[in-house]
Amino acid sequence: MKRKLLPAWIVGIVVGAGAGYALNAFAQAKPDVLVKQRQAAMTLQGKYFYGQLRPMAQGKIPYDADQAARAAAFLEALSRMPWDGFVPGTRDVKSGALPAIYEQPGKFKEAQERAQAEISKLVALTKSGDEAAVKAQILVVNKACSACHNDFRERQ
Amino acid sequence: MKRKLLPAWIVGIVVGAGAGYALNAFAQAKPDVLVKQRQAAMTLQGKYFYGQLRPMAQGKIPYDADQAARAAAFLEALSRMPWDGFVPGTRDVKSGALPAIYEQPGKFKEAQERAQAEISKLVALTKSGDEAAVKAQILVVNKACSACHNDFRERQ
C-alpha cells in the first residue's frame, strides 16, 4: 500500500489556486486516492452500522451490549474520517457524491455534524446499560445518515 | 511541550475497542463484502500512517503534535477492524492475502498483535509531548506493519 504524494509543484498550484477552500497539510493525496479513502470510511461505517448496530435495533440479530459499545465507538471514529476527502479536486472522479456537496458546503457540513452528534449520543448511551435507549438512538442515527445521503449522494 | 488530555471520543475508541480479537456474531457478511471491508480498513490505515504519521517521522511534512495524536488514535481504532474479515470463506475472493494467513493462523495473530501493541505505545507517546519519541515509535510501527505484510500479503 504505497501512498503517492503529488509533486510539490502541483501542490503549489493547487494551494495557490485554491483560495477560499481549506486544504489541510495532508490533502496532497491524488483525487482518486482521496475518493478511495473516503469510500473506505463509508464502507466501514456500513460494516458497523448496517451490519451490526441497525440489525440489533431492529431485532434481526441478538442485542449484545459489548458489541454495541464497540461498534458505536468504531462508528464514531469512522464518522470523522471521510470529510477531508470531499474536496473540489475530486469532482471528476467517478463516485456517488453529488455536486450539492460543493455547491452547498455549509449544508453539507451541517449534515455531517448532525450525524456525528447523534453518533456521540449513541456512544454515551452504550455506556448506560439502557438497551431500549441504545436501540432508539441507533434509529435516530440511521435517520441522520439517510438525511445526508438523500441530499448529497446518488440514489443507490 | 504541552501535555494534553485526549478528547473524549479518542478515549471512547480505545475503551470501546478493548473487546479484542474474537470472531463475532456478525461474521455472516458475504465473502466479497468481508474482503471489501478489510481492504477498507487497510486503505484507511494507509491514509493515517503512510499519508500522515510516517512522512512526519521522516521529516517529509512538518510535525504537528495534534495531528499526530489524532492520526495515531484513528490508526489504533482501524488496526482492530480488519481481522474478522480474514476468514477461510474469503480465500477464493481475489485479494493480496496470502494462503499463509489460513495456514499459520497463530503466526498471523501474533503479527497483528505485535502491530497493535506498537500502535498502542504510539498513542501513549502522542500524549507525552515527546516529539522525538513519537517519531521513533512511528518507525517501529512501520516495521511491525511491514513484517506482517512480508509474510502474509502479496508483494506489491
Side-chain angles (χ1 to χ4, degrees):
Chain A
M1 198 188 308
K2 267 188 220 140
R3 171 107 9 260
K4 287 176 200 153
L5 296 178
L6 285 178
W9 63 269
I10 293 185
V11 176
I13 289 171
V14 172
V15 171
Y21 205 93
L23 285 174
N24 69 37
F26 308 110
Q28 304 110 323
K30 289 185 179 173
D32 62 321
V33 173
L34 290 172
V35 170
K36 188 181 175 191
Q37 290 171 337
R38 75 191 191 205
Q39 288 177 335
M42 295 301 188
T43 292
L44 285 169
Q45 288 183 64
K47 173 179 179 180
Y48 296 103
F49 191 75
Y50 299 120
Q52 300 186 15
L53 293 165
R54 192 172 68 175
M56 276 198 248
Q58 293 170 331
K60 291 183 179 171
I61 58 174
Y63 183 80
D64 178 312
D66 290 341
Q67 286 284 357
R70 184 174 184 266
F74 282 164
L75 183 65
E76 183 166 48
L78 292 164
S79 74
R80 295 167 188 273
M81 298 183 192
W83 316 120
D84 59 1
F86 288 97
V87 291
T90 62
R91 285 182 74 150
D92 294 337
V93 182
K94 191 173 152 45
S95 82
L98 292 178
I101 289 169
Y102 308 106
E103 291 160 5
Q104 304 170 54
K107 194 178 163 196
F108 183 51
K109 189 156 188 289
E110 246 173 53
Q112 295 161 24
E113 287 172 349
R114 205 167 81 242
Q116 284 181 283
E118 297 300 354
I119 291 167
S120 296
K121 277 188 213 166
L122 175 61
V123 170
L125 284 169
T126 59
K127 296 170 192 163
S128 72
D130 184 341
E131 180 179 329
V134 170
K135 287 180 172 177
Q137 184 61 20
I138 288 169
L139 300 179
V140 173
V141 170
N142 195 36
K143 273 190 196 161
C145 296
S146 299
C148 192
H149 292 163
N150 287 343
D151 290 339
F152 298 105
R153 191 184 66 172
E154 266 175 21
R155 292 274 176 280
Q156 289 188 312
Chain B
M1 297 277 175
K2 280 179 284 182
R3 178 177 294 264
K4 282 187 192 155
L5 290 177
L6 281 180
W9 65 266
I10 293 184
V11 177
I13 291 170
V14 175
V15 172
Y21 180 90
L23 278 184
N24 57 47
F26 309 110
Q28 306 112 325
K30 289 183 181 174
D32 60 322
V33 173
L34 290 172
V35 170
K36 188 181 173 191
Q37 290 171 338
R38 76 191 191 206
Q39 288 177 336
M42 294 302 188
T43 292
L44 285 169
Q45 289 182 66
K47 174 179 179 180
Y48 295 104
F49 190 74
Y50 300 119
Q52 299 186 15
L53 293 165
R54 194 173 66 176
M56 276 197 247
Q58 293 170 331
K60 292 184 180 171
I61 60 174
Y63 184 78
D64 178 311
D66 290 340
Q67 286 283 359
R70 184 173 184 267
F74 281 164
L75 183 67
E76 182 166 50
L78 291 164
S79 74
R80 294 167 188 274
M81 297 183 192
W83 316 119
D84 59 3
F86 289 96
V87 291
T90 62
R91 286 183 72 151
D92 294 337
V93 181
K94 189 173 155 46
S95 82
L98 292 178
I101 288 169
Y102 309 106
E103 290 159 4
Q104 304 171 55
K107 194 179 163 196
F108 183 51
K109 190 162 187 290
E110 245 173 55
Q112 295 161 23
E113 287 172 348
R114 203 167 85 242
Q116 284 181 282
E118 297 300 354
I119 291 167
S120 296
K121 277 188 214 166
L122 175 62
V123 170
L125 284 169
T126 61
K127 298 169 198 166
S128 73
D130 184 342
E131 180 180 328
V134 170
K135 287 180 170 176
Q137 184 61 20
I138 287 169
L139 300 179
V140 173
V141 170
N142 193 36
K143 274 191 194 159
C145 294
S146 298
C148 192
H149 292 164
N150 287 343
D151 288 340
F152 298 107
R153 190 183 67 169
E154 267 175 21
R155 292 275 175 276
Q156 286 188 314

